[in-house]
Every structure is written in structure tokens, then in C-alpha cells.
């Protein structure tokens, strides 16, 4: 049976080439998360953390769906095995290593919710038990991602020869997710809206929709190469970040999709954006952003507990004159310090721990996946 034009187009278009600008966007996403957590005075005023995570979700939805399309395995079982195997080697090592280290360090929340953590269901425990601020609260999004990795291949691999059906299903998933997030159509699960795979599938689904649509239909060159549209999208992004409104979540997700499509299929009309998103240092930080995300809060927690806070509280700020109020703004020091430490730890982890493991992807699960894994 010949492959459908949809699958053939996918193979031709998505040969898993590496997109520098996607890692540039990952830099933007992780930067917003760090601002939210280490410079909350700024972050909480611009929905930084929310958009950072949501941008990660849209990128994941797009790339994961593209990878599944690229699979040349006709057997569902073999295609699923390759996909899960490669995801496991990318995601599991530093996640479980971090959990084990924190368990050894006797972090109470890890010991108390160990089963939830190792089963990637902590996102529900966080809400169910009303867990306060801890060094692992950000793991909820990693749980959502892993749940997505487990079930999404069943849908994409099963329907890859039926693009219209797949697009319709994805659109339905997106619609339900936003209906639940905005209008609480199922009140019983409303308290889980921010961390639930059902609702966060809206953003993951928008990325997936972009992958399916762009592989099967021609995008509007006039729209995506229009400088005025690009400027308007960036202005809308700023407005959506600064001024909360009812459909803010939808606006931000579609902005992310536009950025992802521009990053993978076009160049930005504003030359500064191209240079910024392809800058070697920016791309590198985007490449190790997963490690930065996993490590950043535990690093900040222990560094604050044993070094920074004891030193900070012993400083006599009364001698600082007009700068005495800096005592209330330790984030001015913590933000660059903890960001640097997070990048350093992630860089070491990527070079000496993650990269050797990633080499096993092609050895045991070879499917030529080179696209921003």
C-alpha cells in the first residue's frame, strides 16, 4: 500500500534537521522561567513563568509530532519502541538522578512524595495535597511532558495516514483544553487546570497542530514573510504578557506557534531576531535548557539555605545609606548568581553525564532523529 501524500510530504519536509532558532526560543523560555523564580518582583508582573513553560509545551508539541511523522517504521510497535526509547534516554537520566540525590539529601518533599515523583504524577499530587513552595514544584511540567510522550504516539502513529482526521482530533483536543481552562466545563477537575494533561494539551496540541498542518498544507508565504505581521505579533506578545485578559492563554499559545513556525520554516524579517536566536551562546543555553530547568530550584534552595541567606541576614544594611532598602531586594543578587550556577551545573551535566547517554540513542533506537531532541 503506497504511503499517503501526507506522510511523504512529512518525510521530505521533516528530515529532522537541526533548527538553531528552536534552541534560541528555548533560551527565551528558560530565561522567562528563571526570571519568574529568581526575580519574582519582575516575573510575576509579566506572566514570565507561565509563558516560559507554555512556550516549552508548544515547542515540544511541534517537535514530538514531527519526530513521530518522520518515523519510517511501518510497524506501530517498533515505531513506538524507538520513540519511547529515545525519549527515555533524553529525559529520564537527570530527572531520576536529581530525585535520588535529593532523596539522599533527605529533602522531606521528595521522601514524602517519592512514588508520585518516580511515576511522573507529581503534577496531581502538587494540587491534591496543596503542597507549598518547594525546590521541586517545577517538576509538575516535566510530569505533563512525560504523560504526553506516553500517549501521544498512539494517536499520531495510528492516524498518520489520515491527516484530516488527525487535524480534526487535534483541534478538538485544543478546544476542550481551552474551554476547560477558561470556562471550567468540568468543575470537578477545575482545581487541576494549570497542571492537568487534559488542559495543558491545549498548548501541546497547538504545537502538534502546527506540525501536522505545515506538513500537509502549504503555509501562507505572504503572512509568514510579512514584516508588519511579525512586528504586530511581537507587540501582541508584550501586551499579552503584561496585561492579563480572559483569552490571554490562547493568545500566548498561538504567538508561540507563530514563532516556532518562523523558526523552523522561515527567517525572521527583523534581522536582530535572527542574529539573537542563532547566536552561539544563546543556542548553547537553549540546548542545555532541560538541565537548567531541572536543576535551577534545587540549586537555589540549598545555596540560599546554607550560604546566601546566612550571609545576607548578617549584613548591616544601615551603613548603606540611601541603598539601605536593597536589604528587601536580594533578588538583584540572586537572579544573576543563581542563573549562572544553574547554567554551570547544567553545562557540566550535559557534557559529562547526558551526552554520553545520548550517544546510545542511535545505537539502540536509531531513527535518524537529529531535530532538536
Amino acid at each position: 500500500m503506497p504511503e499517503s501524500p501526507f506522510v511523504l510530504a512529512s518525510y521530505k519536509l521533516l528530515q529532522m534537521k537541526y533548527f538553531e532558532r528552536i534552541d534560541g526560543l528555548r533560551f527565551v523560555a528558560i530565561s522567562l522561567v528563571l526570571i519568574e523564580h529568581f526575580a519574582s518582583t519582575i516575573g510575576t508582573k509579566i506572566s514570565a513563568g507561565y509563558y516560559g513553560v507554555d512556550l516549552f509545551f508548544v515547542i515540544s508539541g511541534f517537535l514530538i509530532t514531527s519526530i513521530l511523522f518522520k518515523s519510517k517504521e511501518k510497524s506501530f510497535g517498533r515505531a513506538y519502541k524507538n520513540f519511547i526509547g529515545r525519549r527515555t534516554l533524553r529525559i529520564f537520566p537527570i530527572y531520576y538522578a536529581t530525585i535520588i540525590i535529593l532523596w539522599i539529601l533527605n529533602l522531606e518533599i521528595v521522601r514524602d512524595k517519592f512514588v508520585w515523583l518516580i511515576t511522573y504524577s507529581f503534577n496531581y499530587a502538587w494540587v491534591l495535597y496543596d503542597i507549598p513552595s518547594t525546590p521541586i514544584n517545577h517538576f509538575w511540567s516535566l510530569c505533563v511532558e512525560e504523560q504526553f510522550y506516553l500517549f501521544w504516539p498512539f494517536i499520531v502513529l495510528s492516524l498518520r495516514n489520515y491527516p484530516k482526521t488527525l487535524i480534526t482530533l487535534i483541534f478538538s483536543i485544543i478546544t476542550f483544553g481551552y474551554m476547560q481552562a477558561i470556562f471550567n466545563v468540568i468543575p470537578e477537575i477545575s482545581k487541576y487546570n494549570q497542571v492537568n494533561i487534559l488542559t495543558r494539551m491545549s498548548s501541546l496540541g497547538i504545537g502538534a497542530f502546527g506540525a501536522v498542518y505545515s506538513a500537509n498544507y502549504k503555509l501562507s508565504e505572504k503572512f509568514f514573510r510579512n514584516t508588519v505581521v511579525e512586528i504586530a505579533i511581537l507587540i501582541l506578545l508584550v501586551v499579552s504578557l503584561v496585561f492579563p485578559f480572559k483569552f490571554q492563554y490562547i493568545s500566548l499559545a498561538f504567538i508561540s506557534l507563530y514563532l516556532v513556525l518562523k523558526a523552523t520554516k522561515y527567517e525572521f524579517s527583523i534581522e536582530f531576531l535572527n542574529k539573537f536566536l542563532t547566536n552561539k551562546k544563546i543556542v548553547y543555553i537553549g540546548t542545555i535548557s532541560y538541565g537548567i530547568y531541572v536543576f535551577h530550584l534545587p540549586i537555589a534552595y540549598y545555596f540560599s539555605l546554607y550560604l546566601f541567606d546566612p550571609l545576607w541576614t548578617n549584613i548591616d544594611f544601615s551603613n548603606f545609606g540611601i541603598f539601605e532598602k536593597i536589604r528587601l531586594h536580594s533578588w538583584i543578587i540572586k537572579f544573576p548568581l543563581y542563573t549562572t550556577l544553574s547554567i554551570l551545573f547544567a553545562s557540566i551535566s550535559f557534557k559529562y553525564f547526558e551526552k554520553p547517554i545520548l550517544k546510545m540513542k542511535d545505537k539502540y533506537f536509531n531513527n535518524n532523529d537529529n531535530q532538536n531532541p
Side-chain angles (χ1 to χ4, degrees):
M1 178 179 177
E3 298 282 6
S4 71
F6 168 62
V7 176
L8 292 176
S10 300
Y11 292 163
K12 183 177 181 181
L13 182 63
L14 297 167
Q15 286 299 310
M16 299 299 102
K17 66 179 180 179
Y18 174 73
F19 298 111
E20 280 186 315
R21 286 186 289 269
I22 283 292
D23 277 329
L25 289 178
R26 282 177 171 154
F27 169 88
V28 173
I30 194 62
S31 296
L32 290 169
V33 170
L34 295 175
I35 288 172
E36 174 81 18
H37 291 157
F38 297 155
S40 58
T41 301
I42 299 172
T44 54
K45 289 181 172 61
I46 60 171
S47 302
Y50 173 85
Y51 184 61
V53 170
D54 208 58
L55 178 55
F56 274 129
F57 282 164
V58 175
I59 292 172
S60 289
F62 181 88
L63 292 180
I64 293 306
T65 304
S66 299
I67 288 170
L68 291 168
F69 285 153
K70 193 244 27 173
S71 174
K72 297 179 181 179
E73 297 287 355
K74 293 184 178 180
S75 164
F76 171 85
R78 191 171 298 174
Y80 187 81
K81 175 187 174 183
N82 279 342
F83 173 77
I84 291 298
R86 296 175 73 84
R87 289 295 90 196
T88 296
L89 290 174
R90 179 68 188 102
I91 301 300
F92 280 17
I94 64 172
Y95 175 77
Y96 283 114
T98 303
I99 290 173
I100 291 170
I101 292 171
L102 294 176
W103 189 88
I104 293 172
L105 293 174
N106 202 30
L107 186 65
E108 183 179 355
I109 184 63
V110 170
R111 292 198 169 228
D112 188 37
K113 298 296 182 287
F114 187 72
V115 173
W116 294 88
L117 287 164
I118 63 173
T119 57
Y120 276 98
S121 53
F122 180 73
N123 53 324
Y124 299 106
W126 185 30
V127 176
L128 180 63
Y129 296 104
D130 194 21
I131 297 173
S133 178
T134 75
I136 61 164
N137 280 7
H138 61 307
F139 281 10
W140 73 267
S141 65
L142 304 180
C143 296
V144 171
E145 289 260 12
E146 183 59 28
Q147 291 157 24
F148 173 68
Y149 296 153
L150 289 174
F151 90 87
W152 193 240
F154 285 96
I155 294 176
V156 178
L157 293 174
S158 299
L159 297 176
R160 55 182 166 171
N161 289 322
Y162 307 95
K164 291 183 179 179
T165 302
L166 183 54
I167 287 174
T168 300
L169 179 59
I170 293 174
F171 183 78
S172 299
I173 290 172
I174 294 170
T175 300
F176 170 79
Y178 283 123
M179 289 290 288
Q180 177 61 30
I182 297 172
F183 300 110
N184 292 318
V185 292
I186 305 178
E188 291 77 10
I189 65 171
S190 61
K191 68 178 182 179
Y192 296 100
N193 280 353
Q194 292 297 318
V195 301
N196 192 336
I197 183 63
L198 294 176
T199 47
R200 298 319 290 256
M201 264 306 300
S202 51
S203 299
L204 289 159
I206 282 178
F209 180 88
V212 176
Y213 189 90
S214 61
N216 196 47
Y217 301 101
K218 183 175 176 59
L219 297 174
S220 171
E221 294 281 328
K222 185 176 181 180
F223 177 81
F224 281 98
R225 296 192 185 280
N226 190 311
T227 305
V228 175
V229 170
E230 188 172 306
I231 293 172
I233 290 291
L234 295 177
I235 293 173
L236 180 60
L237 173 59
V238 173
V239 171
S240 298
L241 286 174
V242 177
F243 303 103
F245 54 95
K246 194 174 187 65
F247 298 102
Q248 177 189 30
Y249 299 155
I250 299 176
S251 172
L252 289 172
F254 276 99
I255 290 169
S256 294
L257 176 59
Y258 172 85
L259 295 175
V260 168
L261 290 173
K262 286 283 286 189
T264 55
K265 303 182 186 305
Y266 303 94
E267 289 191 353
F268 287 90
S269 301
I270 302 172
E271 188 57 30
F272 168 77
L273 289 179
N274 282 316
K275 290 183 178 179
F276 177 80
L277 294 176
T278 57
N279 178 277
K280 290 183 178 180
K281 293 180 181 178
I282 297 298
V283 169
Y284 176 72
I285 292 174
T287 302
I288 65 171
S289 59
Y290 174 56
I292 297 173
Y293 189 84
V294 172
F295 300 142
H296 77 285
L297 282 185
I299 288 172
Y301 171 76
Y302 283 106
F303 203 86
S304 291
L305 182 65
Y306 293 109
L307 188 58
F308 188 93
D309 287 352
L311 290 174
W312 190 260
T313 54
N314 284 322
I315 296 175
D316 184 3
F317 288 96
S318 62
N319 295 323
F320 281 49
I322 60 173
F323 298 106
E324 181 181 357
K325 289 186 178 180
I326 196 175
R327 172 177 57 87
L328 304 174
H329 300 282
S330 60
W331 67 268
I332 295 174
I333 307 298
K334 286 182 175 179
F335 175 56
L337 175 62
Y338 292 173
T339 295
T340 301
L341 287 173
S342 299
I343 293 172
L344 177 62
F345 271 75
S347 181
I348 293 171
S349 170
F350 188 74
K351 182 176 182 178
Y352 296 107
F353 182 55
E354 297 168 63
K355 285 185 75 173
I357 294 174
L358 289 174
K359 291 179 181 178
M360 294 190 290
K361 290 171 69 176
D362 288 333
K363 182 177 181 180
Y364 296 106
F365 307 102
N366 186 14
N367 69 347
N368 299 316
D369 167 14
N370 297 312
Q371 181 184 10
N372 304 77

